[in-house]
Amino acid sequence: MSRFTEALNEQIAYEFGASQQYVAIAVHYDAQTLPQLAAHFYRQAVEERNHAMMMVQYLLDSDEQVLVPAVEAPQVSFSDVVAPVQLALDQERRVTSQIQQLAITAREEGDLVAEQFMHWFLQEQREEVSSMSALLDVVTRSKDSVMHVEDFLARESGGENPLEAGAPPAAGGAL
């Protein structure tokens, strides 16, 4: 198994872990009757699951072994309305680093197909960090009036991400 294949299998675990963390954040906001924040993070959870399944499909298409991972339990309690979004931003920054390392590993191994596959994820991570940073700014400014955050998300959500049109295929189909 190549270093890239091993690392991509590890990344599948990180993506599923990120999905679970987003479900936990969504549930936290849902329990506080913050439907826009909850819906935002439920969507993020599906997106991370889809990323994992894109990686699974890539390995299947490459005739490489797929290791279906266990994931660590997510954090489920938070000190205030800002903490979950800060955790999400930290997670997106960590995933960006992991994706960058995967692209570097593919390049070092001379695997141009794998490197090209990672380019979509690099673009996606740039967008994820940017949008989560913006949400953190809004939540931080509005932490004492969280309904402003709900209004912001109601206005800003719903647009299609243009990157999704060029996304790699997901095993079993994207949700």
Side-chain angles (χ1 to χ4, degrees):
M1 187 179 299
S2 72
R3 284 186 317 131
F4 178 79
T5 298
E6 286 179 21
L8 192 59
N9 270 297
E10 288 176 22
Q11 191 62 38
I12 291 168
Y14 300 143
E15 298 292 331
F16 279 130
S19 178
Q20 290 295 94
Q21 184 59 69
Y22 283 145
V23 168
I25 291 170
V27 167
H28 171 77
Y29 286 132
D30 226 353
Q32 294 182 18
T33 317
L34 296 168
Q36 295 297 326
L37 277 161
H40 177 76
F41 283 100
Y42 284 130
R43 282 190 304 272
Q44 290 297 118
V46 170
E47 188 173 295
E48 298 302 333
R49 176 262 181 213
N50 286 343
H51 293 170
M53 296 307 286
M54 289 170 191
M55 293 173 185
V56 166
Q57 188 63 55
Y58 175 85
L59 290 172
L60 289 169
D61 290 346
S62 301
D63 200 28
E64 295 287 348
Q65 182 179 14
V66 177
L67 305 175
V68 179
V71 297
E72 289 184 33
Q75 181 178 335
V76 296
S77 61
F78 303 95
S79 59
D80 61 20
V81 72
V82 177
V85 181
Q86 181 64 62
L87 177 66
L89 177 57
D90 293 344
Q91 177 174 275
E92 291 298 345
R93 287 180 174 151
R94 187 172 49 256
V95 169
T96 297
S97 241
Q98 293 162 344
I99 296 294
Q100 288 170 339
Q101 189 54 56
L102 276 162
I104 290 167
T105 299
R107 180 173 288 178
E108 288 172 353
E109 291 187 344
D111 189 342
L112 299 180
V113 174
E115 184 179 349
Q116 184 276 330
F117 174 68
M118 297 315 303
H119 283 193
W120 181 85
F121 289 96
L122 289 167
Q123 291 178 315
E124 174 71 7
Q125 283 309 123
R126 183 185 63 229
E127 186 273 329
E128 291 293 330
V129 169
S130 175
S131 66
M132 203 60 72
S133 292
L135 181 57
L136 180 61
D137 288 345
V138 170
V139 172
T140 301
R141 277 193 311 267
S142 303
K143 65 183 172 193
D144 295 326
S145 187
V146 72
M147 295 316 287
H148 291 305
V149 178
E150 289 286 287
D151 292 342
F152 168 79
L153 285 172
R155 282 191 317 274
E156 298 297 318
S157 65
E160 288 295 313
N161 180 346
L163 284 174
E164 295 303 317
L175 298 180

Coordinates of all heavy atoms in Angstrom, one line a residue, residues 72-130:
E72 N -13.5 8.7 16.6 CA -13.6 9.1 18.0 C -15.0 9.8 18.2 O -15.5 10.4 17.3 CB -12.5 10.1 18.3 CG -11.1 9.6 18.4 CD -10.1 10.6 18.8 OE1 -10.4 11.5 19.6 OE2 -9.0 10.5 18.3
A73 N -15.4 9.7 19.5 CA -16.7 10.3 19.8 C -16.5 11.8 19.7 O -15.5 12.4 20.1 CB -17.1 9.9 21.2
P74 N -17.5 12.6 19.2 CA -17.4 14.0 19.1 C -17.6 14.7 20.5 O -18.2 14.1 21.4 CB -18.5 14.4 18.1 CG -19.5 13.3 18.3 CD -18.7 12.0 18.7
Q75 N -17.2 15.9 20.5 CA -17.5 16.8 21.7 C -19.0 17.1 21.6 O -19.5 17.5 20.5 CB -16.7 18.1 21.6 CG -16.9 19.0 22.8 CD -16.0 20.2 22.7 OE1 -14.9 20.2 22.1 NE2 -16.5 21.3 23.3
V76 N -19.7 17.0 22.7 CA -21.2 17.2 22.7 C -21.7 18.4 23.6 O -22.8 18.7 23.5 CB -21.9 15.9 23.0 CG1 -21.7 14.9 21.9 CG2 -21.6 15.4 24.4
S77 N -20.8 18.9 24.4 CA -21.2 20.0 25.3 C -20.3 21.2 25.0 O -19.1 21.0 24.8 CB -21.3 19.6 26.7 OG -20.0 19.2 27.2
F78 N -20.9 22.4 25.1 CA -20.2 23.6 24.8 C -20.5 24.7 25.8 O -21.7 24.7 26.3 CB -20.6 24.0 23.4 CG -20.3 23.0 22.3 CD1 -21.3 22.1 21.9 CD2 -19.1 22.8 21.8 CE1 -21.1 21.1 21.0 CE2 -18.8 21.8 20.9 CZ -19.9 21.0 20.5
S79 N -19.6 25.5 26.0 CA -19.7 26.6 27.1 C -20.6 27.7 26.7 O -21.2 28.3 27.6 CB -18.3 27.1 27.5 OG -17.7 27.7 26.3
D80 N -20.7 28.0 25.4 CA -21.6 29.1 25.0 C -21.9 28.9 23.5 O -21.5 27.9 22.9 CB -20.9 30.5 25.2 CG -19.6 30.6 24.5 OD1 -19.3 29.9 23.5 OD2 -18.7 31.5 24.9
V81 N -22.6 29.9 22.9 CA -23.0 29.8 21.5 C -21.8 29.9 20.5 O -21.9 29.4 19.4 CB -24.1 30.9 21.2 CG1 -23.5 32.3 21.2 CG2 -24.9 30.5 20.0
V82 N -20.7 30.5 21.0 CA -19.6 30.7 20.1 C -18.7 29.4 20.0 O -18.2 29.1 18.9 CB -18.7 31.9 20.6 CG1 -17.5 32.0 19.7 CG2 -19.5 33.2 20.6
A83 N -18.6 28.7 21.1 CA -17.7 27.5 21.2 C -17.8 26.5 20.0 O -16.8 26.0 19.5 CB -17.8 26.9 22.5
P84 N -19.0 26.1 19.7 CA -19.2 25.1 18.6 C -18.6 25.6 17.3 O -18.0 24.9 16.5 CB -20.7 24.8 18.5 CG -21.2 25.3 19.8 CD -20.3 26.4 20.3
V85 N -18.8 26.9 17.0 CA -18.4 27.4 15.7 C -16.8 27.6 15.7 O -16.2 27.3 14.7 CB -19.0 28.8 15.4 CG1 -18.5 29.3 14.1 CG2 -20.6 28.6 15.4
Q86 N -16.3 27.9 16.9 CA -14.8 28.0 17.0 C -14.2 26.6 16.8 O -13.2 26.4 16.1 CB -14.4 28.5 18.4 CG -12.9 28.6 18.5 CD -12.3 29.6 17.6 OE1 -12.6 30.8 17.6 NE2 -11.4 29.1 16.7
L87 N -14.9 25.6 17.4 CA -14.4 24.2 17.2 C -14.5 23.8 15.7 O -13.6 23.2 15.2 CB -15.3 23.2 18.1 CG -15.0 21.7 17.9 CD1 -13.6 21.4 18.4 CD2 -16.1 20.9 18.6
A88 N -15.6 24.2 15.1 CA -15.8 23.9 13.6 C -14.7 24.5 12.8 O -14.1 23.9 11.9 CB -17.1 24.3 13.2
L89 N -14.3 25.8 13.1 CA -13.3 26.5 12.4 C -11.9 25.8 12.6 O -11.2 25.6 11.7 CB -13.2 27.9 12.7 CG -12.1 28.7 12.1 CD1 -12.2 28.7 10.5 CD2 -12.1 30.2 12.5
D90 N -11.7 25.5 13.8 CA -10.4 24.8 14.1 C -10.3 23.4 13.4 O -9.3 23.1 12.9 CB -10.3 24.5 15.7 CG -10.1 25.8 16.5 OD1 -9.8 26.9 15.9 OD2 -10.3 25.7 17.7
Q91 N -11.5 22.7 13.3 CA -11.5 21.5 12.6 C -11.3 21.7 11.1 O -10.5 20.9 10.5 CB -12.9 20.8 12.8 CG -13.1 19.6 12.1 CD -14.5 18.9 12.5 OE1 -14.5 18.2 13.5 NE2 -15.5 19.2 11.7
E92 N -11.9 22.7 10.5 CA -11.6 23.0 9.1 C -10.2 23.3 8.8 O -9.6 22.9 7.8 CB -12.6 24.1 8.6 CG -14.0 23.7 8.6 CD -14.3 22.5 7.6 OE1 -13.5 22.2 6.8 OE2 -15.4 21.9 7.7
R93 N -9.6 24.1 9.7 CA -8.1 24.4 9.5 C -7.3 23.2 9.6 O -6.3 23.0 8.8 CB -7.7 25.5 10.6 CG -8.3 26.8 10.2 CD -7.8 27.8 11.3 NE -8.3 29.2 10.9 CZ -8.6 30.2 11.7 NH1 -8.4 30.0 13.0 NH2 -8.9 31.3 11.3
R94 N -7.6 22.3 10.5 CA -6.9 21.0 10.7 C -7.0 20.2 9.4 O -6.1 19.6 8.9 CB -7.3 20.3 11.9 CG -6.5 19.1 12.3 CD -6.9 18.5 13.7 NE -8.3 18.3 13.9 CZ -9.1 19.1 14.6 NH1 -8.6 20.1 15.3 NH2 -10.4 18.9 14.7
V95 N -8.3 20.1 8.9 CA -8.5 19.3 7.7 C -7.8 19.9 6.5 O -7.2 19.1 5.7 CB -10.0 19.1 7.5 CG1 -10.3 18.6 6.1 CG2 -10.7 18.3 8.5
T96 N -7.7 21.2 6.4 CA -7.0 21.8 5.4 C -5.5 21.4 5.4 O -4.9 21.1 4.3 CB -7.1 23.4 5.5 OG1 -8.5 23.7 5.3 CG2 -6.3 24.1 4.4
S97 N -4.9 21.4 6.6 CA -3.6 20.9 6.7 C -3.4 19.5 6.2 O -2.4 19.1 5.6 CB -3.2 21.0 8.2 OG -2.1 21.9 8.3
Q98 N -4.4 18.7 6.6 CA -4.3 17.2 6.2 C -4.4 17.1 4.7 O -3.7 16.3 4.1 CB -5.4 16.5 7.0 CG -5.3 16.4 8.5 CD -6.5 16.1 9.2 OE1 -7.6 16.1 8.7 NE2 -6.4 15.7 10.5
I99 N -5.3 17.8 4.1 CA -5.5 17.7 2.7 C -4.3 18.2 1.9 O -3.8 17.6 1.0 CB -6.8 18.6 2.2 CG1 -8.0 17.9 2.8 CG2 -6.8 18.7 0.7 CD1 -8.4 16.6 2.3
Q100 N -3.7 19.3 2.4 CA -2.4 19.8 1.9 C -1.3 18.7 1.9 O -0.6 18.5 0.9 CB -1.9 21.1 2.6 CG -2.8 22.3 2.3 CD -2.4 23.5 3.2 OE1 -1.8 23.3 4.3 NE2 -2.8 24.7 2.7
Q101 N -1.2 18.0 3.0 CA -0.2 17.0 3.2 C -0.5 15.8 2.2 O 0.4 15.2 1.7 CB -0.2 16.5 4.6 CG 1.0 15.6 4.9 CD 2.3 16.2 4.5 OE1 2.7 17.2 4.9 NE2 3.1 15.5 3.6
L102 N -1.8 15.5 2.0 CA -2.1 14.5 1.1 C -1.7 14.8 -0.3 O -1.1 14.0 -1.1 CB -3.6 14.2 1.1 CG -4.1 13.2 2.1 CD1 -5.6 13.4 2.3 CD2 -3.8 11.8 1.8
A103 N -1.9 16.1 -0.7 CA -1.5 16.6 -2.1 C 0.1 16.5 -2.2 O 0.6 16.1 -3.2 CB -2.0 18.0 -2.3
I104 N 0.8 16.9 -1.1 CA 2.2 16.8 -1.1 C 2.7 15.4 -1.2 O 3.6 15.1 -2.0 CB 2.8 17.5 0.2 CG1 2.6 19.0 0.1 CG2 4.3 17.2 0.4 CD1 2.8 19.8 1.4
T105 N 2.1 14.5 -0.5 CA 2.4 13.1 -0.5 C 2.2 12.5 -1.9 O 3.1 11.8 -2.5 CB 1.6 12.3 0.5 OG1 1.9 12.8 1.8 CG2 2.0 10.8 0.4
A106 N 1.1 12.8 -2.6 CA 0.9 12.4 -3.9 C 2.0 12.9 -4.9 O 2.5 12.2 -5.7 CB -0.5 12.8 -4.4
R107 N 2.3 14.2 -4.7 CA 3.4 14.8 -5.6 C 4.7 14.1 -5.3 O 5.4 13.8 -6.3 CB 3.5 16.3 -5.3 CG 4.5 16.9 -6.1 CD 4.5 18.4 -6.0 NE 3.3 18.9 -6.7 CZ 3.0 20.2 -6.7 NH1 3.7 21.1 -6.1 NH2 1.9 20.6 -7.3
E108 N 5.0 13.9 -4.1 CA 6.3 13.2 -3.7 C 6.4 11.8 -4.3 O 7.5 11.3 -4.7 CB 6.5 13.2 -2.2 CG 6.8 14.5 -1.6 CD 6.9 14.5 -0.1 OE1 6.5 13.4 0.5 OE2 7.2 15.5 0.5
E109 N 5.3 11.1 -4.4 CA 5.2 9.8 -4.9 C 5.1 9.8 -6.5 O 5.1 8.7 -7.1 CB 4.1 9.0 -4.3 CG 4.3 8.6 -2.9 CD 3.2 7.7 -2.3 OE1 2.1 7.6 -2.9 OE2 3.5 7.2 -1.2
G110 N 5.0 11.0 -7.0 CA 4.8 11.1 -8.5 C 3.5 10.6 -9.0 O 3.4 10.2 -10.2
D111 N 2.5 10.6 -8.1 CA 1.2 10.1 -8.5 C 0.3 11.3 -8.9 O -0.4 11.9 -8.1 CB 0.5 9.4 -7.3 CG -0.8 8.7 -7.6 OD1 -1.4 9.0 -8.7 OD2 -1.2 7.8 -6.9
L112 N 0.4 11.6 -10.2 CA -0.3 12.8 -10.7 C -1.8 12.7 -10.6 O -2.5 13.7 -10.4 CB 0.2 13.1 -12.1 CG 1.7 13.4 -12.3 CD1 2.0 13.7 -13.7 CD2 2.1 14.6 -11.4
V113 N -2.3 11.5 -10.8 CA -3.8 11.3 -10.7 C -4.2 11.6 -9.3 O -5.2 12.3 -9.1 CB -4.2 9.9 -11.1 CG1 -5.6 9.6 -10.9 CG2 -3.8 9.7 -12.6
A114 N -3.5 11.1 -8.3 CA -3.9 11.4 -6.9 C -3.7 12.9 -6.6 O -4.6 13.4 -5.9 CB -3.0 10.5 -6.0
E115 N -2.7 13.5 -7.1 CA -2.5 14.9 -6.8 C -3.6 15.7 -7.4 O -4.2 16.6 -6.8 CB -1.2 15.4 -7.4 CG -0.9 16.8 -7.1 CD 0.5 17.3 -7.6 OE1 1.3 16.5 -8.1 OE2 0.7 18.5 -7.6
Q116 N -4.0 15.4 -8.6 CA -5.1 16.1 -9.3 C -6.4 15.9 -8.5 O -7.2 16.8 -8.3 CB -5.3 15.6 -10.7 CG -6.4 16.3 -11.5 CD -7.7 15.7 -11.3 OE1 -7.9 14.5 -11.1 NE2 -8.7 16.6 -11.4
F117 N -6.7 14.7 -8.0 CA -7.8 14.4 -7.2 C -7.9 15.3 -5.9 O -9.0 15.8 -5.6 CB -7.8 12.9 -6.7 CG -8.9 12.5 -5.8 CD1 -10.2 12.5 -6.1 CD2 -8.6 12.1 -4.5 CE1 -11.2 12.1 -5.2 CE2 -9.5 11.7 -3.6 CZ -10.9 11.7 -3.9
M118 N -6.8 15.5 -5.3 CA -6.7 16.4 -4.1 C -6.9 17.8 -4.4 O -7.3 18.6 -3.5 CB -5.4 16.2 -3.4 CG -5.1 14.8 -2.9 SD -6.5 14.0 -2.1 CE -6.9 15.1 -0.8
H119 N -6.8 18.3 -5.6 CA -6.9 19.7 -6.0 C -8.4 20.2 -5.7 O -8.5 21.3 -5.2 CB -6.5 20.0 -7.4 CG -5.1 20.0 -7.6 ND1 -4.5 20.5 -8.7 CD2 -4.1 19.7 -6.8 CE1 -3.2 20.5 -8.6 NE2 -2.9 19.9 -7.4
W120 N -9.4 19.4 -6.0 CA -10.7 19.8 -5.7 C -10.9 20.0 -4.2 O -11.5 21.0 -3.7 CB -11.7 18.7 -6.2 CG -13.1 19.1 -5.9 CD1 -13.9 20.0 -6.7 CD2 -13.9 18.8 -4.7 NE1 -15.1 20.1 -6.1 CE2 -15.2 19.5 -4.9 CE3 -13.7 18.1 -3.6 CZ2 -16.2 19.4 -3.9 CZ3 -14.7 18.0 -2.6 CH2 -15.9 18.6 -2.8
F121 N -10.3 19.1 -3.4 CA -10.5 19.2 -1.9 C -9.7 20.4 -1.4 O -10.2 21.1 -0.4 CB -9.9 17.9 -1.2 CG -10.8 16.7 -1.4 CD1 -10.6 15.8 -2.4 CD2 -11.9 16.5 -0.6 CE1 -11.4 14.8 -2.7 CE2 -12.8 15.5 -0.8 CZ -12.5 14.6 -1.9
L122 N -8.6 20.8 -2.0 CA -7.9 22.0 -1.6 C -8.8 23.3 -1.8 O -8.9 24.1 -0.9 CB -6.6 22.2 -2.4 CG -5.5 21.2 -2.0 CD1 -4.4 21.2 -3.0 CD2 -5.0 21.5 -0.6
Q123 N -9.5 23.3 -3.0 CA -10.4 24.4 -3.2 C -11.5 24.4 -2.2 O -12.0 25.5 -1.7 CB -10.9 24.4 -4.7 CG -9.9 24.6 -5.7 CD -10.5 24.5 -7.1 OE1 -11.2 23.5 -7.4 NE2 -10.2 25.5 -8.0
E124 N -12.1 23.3 -2.0 CA -13.2 23.1 -1.1 C -12.8 23.6 0.3 O -13.6 24.3 1.0 CB -13.7 21.6 -1.0 CG -14.7 21.3 0.0 CD -16.1 21.9 -0.3 OE1 -16.3 22.5 -1.4 OE2 -17.0 21.8 0.5
Q125 N -11.6 23.2 0.8 CA -11.2 23.6 2.1 C -11.0 25.1 2.2 O -11.3 25.7 3.2 CB -9.9 22.9 2.5 CG -10.1 21.5 2.9 CD -11.2 21.3 4.0 OE1 -12.2 20.6 3.8 NE2 -11.1 22.0 5.1
R126 N -10.5 25.8 1.1 CA -10.4 27.2 1.2 C -11.8 27.8 1.4 O -11.9 28.8 2.2 CB -9.8 27.7 -0.2 CG -9.6 29.3 -0.1 CD -9.1 29.8 -1.5 NE -10.1 29.5 -2.5 CZ -9.9 29.0 -3.7 NH1 -8.6 28.6 -4.0 NH2 -10.8 28.8 -4.5
E127 N -12.8 27.3 0.7 CA -14.1 27.8 0.9 C -14.7 27.5 2.3 O -15.3 28.4 2.9 CB -15.0 27.2 -0.2 CG -16.4 27.8 -0.2 CD -17.4 27.1 0.7 OE1 -17.2 25.8 1.0 OE2 -18.3 27.7 1.2
E128 N -14.4 26.3 2.8 CA -14.9 26.0 4.1 C -14.3 26.8 5.2 O -15.0 27.3 6.1 CB -14.6 24.5 4.4 CG -15.3 23.5 3.6 CD -16.8 23.5 3.9 OE1 -17.2 23.8 5.0 OE2 -17.6 23.2 3.0
V129 N -13.0 27.1 5.2 CA -12.3 27.9 6.2 C -12.9 29.3 6.1 O -13.2 30.0 7.1 CB -10.8 27.9 6.0 CG1 -10.1 29.0 6.9 CG2 -10.3 26.5 6.4
S130 N -13.0 29.8 4.9 CA -13.5 31.2 4.7 C -15.0 31.3 5.2 O -15.3 32.3 6.0 CB -13.5 31.6 3.2 OG -14.1 32.8 3.0

